[in-house]
Each structure stands twice: as C-alpha cells, then as structure tokens.
Amino acid sequence: MTGERESITTVMANGGRPPGSRREIKIIDTTLRDAHQSLWATRMRTEHIVQMAPDFDKVGFEQVDLVAPIQFDVAVRYLKEDPWERVRLAHQHAPNSTFRALIRSKNIAAFDFLADDVIEAWVESLYKNGFRIIGSFDGLNDVDNIAPGLIRAKELGASTFGAVSFCESPVHTDELFVAKAIELIEKADVDAIMLKDAGGLLTPDRIRTLVPALKAVIGDRPLEIHSHCLTGLAPLVYLEAVELGADALHTSIAPMANGAAQPSTQDIVSDLRALGYVVNVDDERIETISRQLIDIAEAEGKPVGHPVAYNGLHFMHQLPGGMLSNFHSQLATAGLSHRFTELLYEVARVREELAFPIMITPFAQFVGTQAVMNVISGERYKLVPNEIKKYALGYYGELLGPIDPEVLEKIIANGSSTIELVPAPIEPMLPDLRRRFPDEGIDLLLLRAMFAGTQVDEMIRTVKAGGNPDEVYGPILGLVKSLYEKSSAGRQSLTVGDLHISITKGDSEHAA
C-alpha cells in the first residue's frame, strides 16, 4: 500500500504523467525583438538592451531573438542609432547568449525586392556580426524567395530555421503548411521549423491537427511555436502544442508580454512545470529583467502588455495590432471615423479577392492600404497602389490562388502604367554603391541599399554627434517626471555623478 501511495504521489508531482516522461521544453525569448515591436512600435533603444543584456546572459534561454528587418528600419529612421553597433554591443554584453536573426524574404526592410547580391551580403554581415542562428520567412510562403539566403547562412556555419507562416483561409490548409515545411527541408536543409503565427490566429483546435502533421514530416528537427496574444488564445495554443510534441516556445518577459506580443515567459514556464515539463531558465533573473522593463516603461511613458479578451472579429480581418490604430487615425483625418467597422469588412473582402495573402509585412500593409482607398474614394479599386499591382503580377512571388478576374482587370487598368506586366530581373546594387561610397564598409552600404534619401546620412551624423537629442534627453525627462510625481512639497534634489537635478514642488497652501 505504501508503494502504491508513493507511486501516485510521484505521478501527481509529475503533472499526471508516469515517471520518466519529463520532457524539456526550450524557451526562445522575444523580449528584445518582437515584444517591443508589438507593444512599443519597436522603440526599444540600444541602451535598454545593453542595460539588460548581462541578465539575459544568465537566464538560460535556448535562444534570444534580437533582430528582424524592422529593428534596422526603426533604428535608422527614427532612433538615429547604428543598428549594427547595437548587434555588436548585445553580443559583447551577453557573450554566452545565442542571439538569432530573422530575415524577411528578399525585401529585408523595404517593400520591393532587393538584388540577390544585397541579400547574400546581408546574410554574410549577420554572420560576421555574431549571429549563429539565422532564419527567414516569406509572406506568401514562397520558399524559392528565402532558400538562397538560408543556404548561404549554412555555408557560413550558421544554424538555420525556416518559417512556415500561418493564417486562416480556404487555401491555407494543414496540407499546404506540411508541403511548405517539406520544401524548406528539401531546398534549404533548415535545422528547425518555426510555425510563425504573426496574427495570433492559431486556435487549440487547429493546433491539434497542425502540430502532429508537421512533426510527422520534419524528422528530428525542432518545431518552434511563435504566436501573439491578439485573440487571447496563444497561451492555450502553446500548452496544446507542447502536449502534441512541439519542442520550443517563443515567449516574452512580462510586462513586455500579452496584448499584441507573445505570451508571458513567467506564466508559460509556470504552466509547463505544473504539467510536468522541464524548463531550465533562471526565474530570479527573469524577474530582474521584468523589474527593469517596468522601470523603463514608467520612466518613458511606454505601454505594457495586458491579457486581452477573445475577439472573433479578428479572424475576419486578421490585421496586425499596430495597423488597427493607424486605421483609426487615417479615417479620423478624412472625417470618416464612423466607417471603421466598414473598413474592417472591406479589408476581409480585399484579402479574399487577392487570393488570401497572409496579413504580415508587407502584405498586411498592401491589403490595408487598398481597403482604405476603396472606402475613402467611394469606388473600389479606382485608386490602386503600385504595390498592389506588383503583387497581382507576381513581383513578390507565386500566389497561392487566382485573383478575382474582375478585380485583376481593374488593378491592371487603374494601376501605374509604368509597372511592367512581367517583372524584370533586378540588377546587382552593391557595385554602384561601392563606387559612390568607396570609404564605407559593407554594413553601411547595406543600410544604403535599404533606405532612400538622406536617412542613413542623418543616422551617421547623429551617432557622430553623440546621439539623437530626443532619445538622449527622453530618459532624463522621464526621471525628472518620476522624481516630481513621487516628491512631497518642498525642494528635492538628486545627484548622480556629474548630473544634478533640483525640483521645487508647491502644495495647496502655497498655491496662488
């Protein structure tokens, strides 16, 4: 009887599983990449990353997701920081961490495709600057767009992952996703498969069929699950995926979690352990990082993530969270705020007519822009952005289905006449850039290939001058504000090194 009781106790402690079934689940952190992209419009600065890097180095994450093209875009255009220097500093301050980089098809940070020599050099620069895990995704799941970059990464010695980008539509079946995973393995010999659900559209029911189907064809390669909490279902989806054999989960550290970001690391790790799985991360280090994130958010007035209620309407339009706020602004400017719901229905209609592109960059922007033009102009497809015509003509890859014939006719007729019906080969870009900027290294030349006009020059000037004034003084202003709000009436001062701040705060007795 005693032995039976001990056996029951052991099983209960093991989350209801028989002894010996404790499987380790890997955690891939997204705090420094997709989390602040989703919640802070990618406005986490290099100083924030450097501040937290030593703690990240000791957590024990399987990998730390650090950059995708948007991190380079925002760093150059808005923060006026050198994104390559950010990468080098992150590796320097967290030498034991395995940072990973994500490539967006053949357009990197632009909408249009870039020349093959730029894509190859981009992969080489990622490797040169420390990345040993490099992956890629394509919004049409066109593997031919991403295979060359992944092959080059493997030639250099990096481990690679290929993304199977998920969405809901009649053409996005389990069979399609399985075929794409097989194609990634056959054409690029990727080392892992990432099920990428940028829209937060996976449900527990769908994951129950999709994970076993993928695991059946990828062999011993790890299966990673990446989702967002836009419908409130991602935490449930994660646990179901693990039960069905998923190997790694993408999570972010609260308060940089939930909402439009990934599920909370703290909550997911706790739930996994309760179910009997092994998760080898340092909880205390995670809490240290969490407190740092809270301090940054409070000092700079940045939002934090909160769990959201289930929203069935999201499955109709499938828009990323950031685009919804942009739509509110665009319609308000046009005096059409009352037509917001109509716009969401128009997004769904345009997407169906365009053969169901996945609503991730750049196609979410394409579909959304066309829907706005349809609503504001009052005549559908009277105005056609260049990108929509290029998409319809196959400039961005092979479509998964036919475009509505009447719509295609309008797109071709009303789109720019300068866009050729058949895409021309893209000429190499680097030889001309090297002639124009003979004293610059490849990292800067790659930025120039992506950003038009003077944006790179402005970034260089700002970096040489010691930083973007708005970003340099932003933390100080946040500190002053915090000191003022927490101070009682009278004179308060703070001295840190050479910095001295003095505040005089009145009370109701001294008010005029």
Side-chain angles (χ1 to χ4, degrees), residues 147-381:
L150 294 171
I151 292 170
R152 182 59 183 142
K154 290 206 74 165
E155 290 173 348
L156 293 168
S159 179
T160 60
F161 62 93
V164 175
S165 295
F166 179 82
C167 80
E168 285 284 359
S169 86
V171 300
H172 290 93
T173 62
D174 286 4
E175 291 76 16
L176 172 71
F177 295 129
V178 166
K180 293 301 179 181
I182 293 173
E183 197 176 352
L184 281 165
I185 294 168
E186 291 179 345
K187 291 185 176 180
D189 190 25
V190 294
D191 298 294
I193 294 292
M194 169 186 174
L195 179 56
K196 178 178 171 59
D197 176 27
L201 299 162
L202 280 167
T203 65
D205 282 346
R206 187 66 185 271
I207 208 73
R208 291 185 190 113
T209 63
L210 188 49
V211 165
L214 289 171
K215 289 291 290 185
V217 299
I218 67 174
D220 59 359
R221 293 170 176 82
L223 175 63
E224 306 171 5
I225 308 297
H226 174 104
S227 189
H228 293 245
C229 298
L230 290 161
T231 62
L233 296 177
L236 280 173
V237 165
Y238 274 26
L239 298 180
E240 285 286 347
V242 167
E243 295 278 69
L244 294 161
D247 303 283
L249 301 176
H250 290 219
T251 66
S252 49
I253 298 174
M256 193 67 70
N258 297 307
Q262 285 70 52
S264 157
T265 301
Q266 296 96 312
D267 291 342
I268 291 296
V269 168
S270 175
D271 288 344
L272 288 172
R273 288 172 177 161
L275 289 171
Y277 295 100
V278 174
V279 189
N280 289 316
V281 294
D282 187 328
D283 296 2
E284 291 186 7
R285 288 285 179 181
I286 289 173
E287 286 307 314
T288 298
I289 296 169
S290 177
R291 289 193 293 270
Q292 292 178 49
L293 290 167
I294 291 170
D295 289 343
I296 294 170
E298 288 181 349
E300 302 194 10
K302 295 186 183 298
V304 297
H306 298 285
V308 299
Y310 175 79
N311 177 9
L313 182 63
H314 182 70
F315 288 87
M316 181 193 74
H317 60 72
Q318 302 189 21
L319 284 167
M323 286 190 66
L324 293 174
S325 58
N326 288 338
F327 280 167
H328 274 294
S329 175
Q330 287 175 317
L331 290 180
T333 300
L336 298 173
S337 295
H338 60 288
R339 301 180 68 180
F340 180 70
T341 301
E342 177 189 348
L343 174 61
L344 297 185
Y345 280 94
E346 180 63 17
V347 167
R349 185 179 177 187
V350 169
R351 179 171 176 262
E352 179 177 358
E353 292 167 340
L354 297 183
F356 300 102
I358 300 176
M359 297 298 276
I360 53 179
T361 302
F363 304 115
Q365 288 84 349
F366 296 174
V367 172
T369 301
Q370 184 65 69
V372 169
M373 288 182 170
N374 288 354
V375 168
I376 291 178
S377 70
E379 182 180 337
R380 305 186 73 245
Y381 298 101

Side-chain angles (χ1 to χ4, degrees), residues 37 45 87 101 114 192 266 276 346 367 397 404 494 502:
Q37 179 176 327
R45 300 194 303 277
V87 165
L114 295 170
Q266 296 96 312
E346 180 63 17
V367 172
D404 180 282
L494 173 68
S502 180

